[in-house]
Amino acid sequence: MPSTLTEMAVSLWKSLLQTTKERMLQPRRTLLYNGAHGYEEELIKKKLAQFAGGSINLSKDDSGIGILTLNNPKLMNAFTGTMMLELQERVTELENWNDGKGLIIYGAGNTFCSGSDLNAVKAISNSQDGMNMCMFMQNTLTRLMRLPLIVVALVQGKALGGGAELTTACDFRLMTPGSEIRFVHKHMGLVPGWGGAARLVRIVGSGAALQLLSGALKVDPERALHLGLSEGTLSSSDATGALEEARAWLSQYTEGPASIIQAAKKVVTVGRELPLEAALRTEKDIFGTVWGGPANLQALARKAKHK
């Protein structure tokens, strides 16, 4: 009997790893939560749709760089219900962007995002709605994090609460002079619910994450650099200049074919999220999608390896 149970456990574990690997190779199908978790997506989408205002705008250029704009400057780009729904739609669009390489997320009006619109928060303050909203945003931000694009948060002004959480779903963060990232949840009697705490621990470590959450500490550009929360402080404070600087910074990592940039992001994602052996096998599968491909053959023809 013990050996049978062991075999069953091993079989279940292998099945779980295979399912996870398939999700990594096809990120558009990845969902953390479904009906089995008590998640009622259609219900929460109907409720979120009642709280309109602002927009999430996406532009894509021929170089493979997208710009995702949080556009609700009257409320410091706080997420209304319809903005949460639009973010999900924009992520779906980006998952299907075969020519994409990189994405910059920034806020209109020279500030990043102040979290959730309090009008929506008050209206869905019961436990069931709150949990559904939490699962909705975790699903969306996890899909954002797993996009096969290099994603940069351009932090101008303030990134507070849910806005701070959004920055952690990006691969990199760039900050402008005078900007700040601050997890203010404790002042609302809360902890992060959009996945920000789990991601923050992986970025700065558990000790620093606990300090930032329990102290609701203001993280300026200098402190963010010290913690490893930011990759750099830009020289421009105005929106146009900062966005051009962010584009230039990102471009050093997005040169080359989209297929290779996307494959690079995928192998890093599986390396971060899967156990080592499963990550190695998935890396092999991703390698197989580019070996002998157009970019590989062209590089061989140029003998580019040693140049």
Side-chain angles (χ1 to χ4, degrees):
M1 180 66 70
S3 61
T4 303
L5 290 174
T6 300
E7 290 170 0
M8 289 176 61
V10 170
S11 177
L12 287 170
W13 177 244
K14 287 182 177 178
S15 176
L16 175 62
L17 288 180
Q18 180 63 26
T19 301
T20 305
K21 183 177 79 171
E22 291 172 356
R23 287 176 174 175
M24 292 299 168
L25 287 171
Q26 299 176 335
R28 70 191 63 177
R29 298 181 182 177
T30 301
L31 288 178
L32 281 177
Y33 303 107
N34 53 41
H37 303 98
Y39 177 45
E40 300 173 283
E41 179 166 307
E42 293 309 311
L43 175 64
I44 193 61
K45 286 175 77 171
K46 287 180 181 178
K47 294 199 173 184
L48 291 174
Q50 299 173 20
F51 303 98
S55 61
I56 304 292
N57 307 122
L58 175 63
S59 63
K60 298 178 287 187
D61 64 28
D62 293 338
S63 68
I65 303 299
I67 305 294
L68 189 78
T69 307
L70 313 176
N71 186 19
N72 191 15
K74 291 182 179 179
L75 296 177
M76 292 177 59
N77 300 320
F79 272 93
T80 62
T82 53
M83 287 174 69
M84 294 182 192
L85 298 176
E86 287 184 22
L87 179 63
Q88 183 191 57
E89 294 170 0
R90 299 292 89 77
V91 169
T92 298
E93 184 177 348
L94 289 163
E95 286 172 338
N96 290 282
W97 188 22
N98 294 330
D99 297 325
K101 303 179 190 180
L103 178 71
I104 298 171
I105 301 177
Y106 87 115
N110 228 32
T111 198
F112 189 73
C113 175
S114 60
S116 301
D117 177 10
L118 292 182
N119 291 323
V121 171
K122 290 175 184 176
I124 58 171
S125 60
N126 68 75
S127 179
Q128 180 186 18
D129 287 343
M131 289 296 287
N132 273 316
M133 186 270 289
C134 167
M135 289 187 279
F136 179 87
M137 288 301 291
Q138 281 198 18
N139 274 348
T140 299
L141 293 185
T142 299
R143 289 170 59 198
L144 173 67
M145 180 178 67
R146 290 174 175 168
L147 283 174
L149 309 171
I150 300 174
V151 183
V152 177
L154 171 54
V155 181
Q156 301 170 269
K158 299 180 185 297
L160 306 177
E165 293 192 64
L166 174 57
T167 71
T168 67
C170 301
D171 299 306
F172 303 109
R173 286 146 295 280
L174 298 173
M175 300 180 71
T176 60
S179 63
E180 66 177 84
I181 299 172
R182 192 175 185 186
F183 296 84
V184 297
H185 303 75
K186 84 165 190 177
H187 295 315
M188 298 297 297
L190 294 170
V191 294
W194 294 359
R199 294 187 297 267
L200 183 64
V201 168
R202 286 159 174 76
I203 296 169
V204 303
S206 59
L210 182 57
Q211 290 178 330
L212 296 184
L213 296 179
S214 62
L217 302 179
K218 173 182 174 180
V219 184
D220 61 20
E222 182 179 359
R223 186 168 193 173
L225 275 172
H226 176 73
L227 290 171
L229 187 57
S230 169
E231 274 59 52
T233 305
L234 305 180
S235 60
S236 300
S237 295
D238 66 282
T240 302
L243 190 55
E244 286 306 308
E245 281 192 69
R247 279 178 178 272
W249 186 92
L250 179 57
S251 68
Q252 65 187 314
Y253 304 110
T254 56
E255 293 180 4
S259 61
I260 305 305
I261 304 304
Q262 292 194 14
K265 173 63 182 290
K266 288 177 183 177
V267 295
V268 169
T269 298
V270 300
R272 178 185 65 228
E273 299 192 13
L274 293 180
L276 179 59
E277 290 188 5
L280 290 170
R281 294 189 183 104
T282 309
E283 180 178 314
K284 176 261 298 179
D285 294 338
I286 297 169
F287 174 80
T289 67
V290 295
W291 176 264
N296 179 223
L297 295 178
Q298 289 172 15
L300 290 173
R302 296 193 307 269
K303 298 180 180 179
K305 181 177 179 181
H306 302 295
K307 292 185 179 180

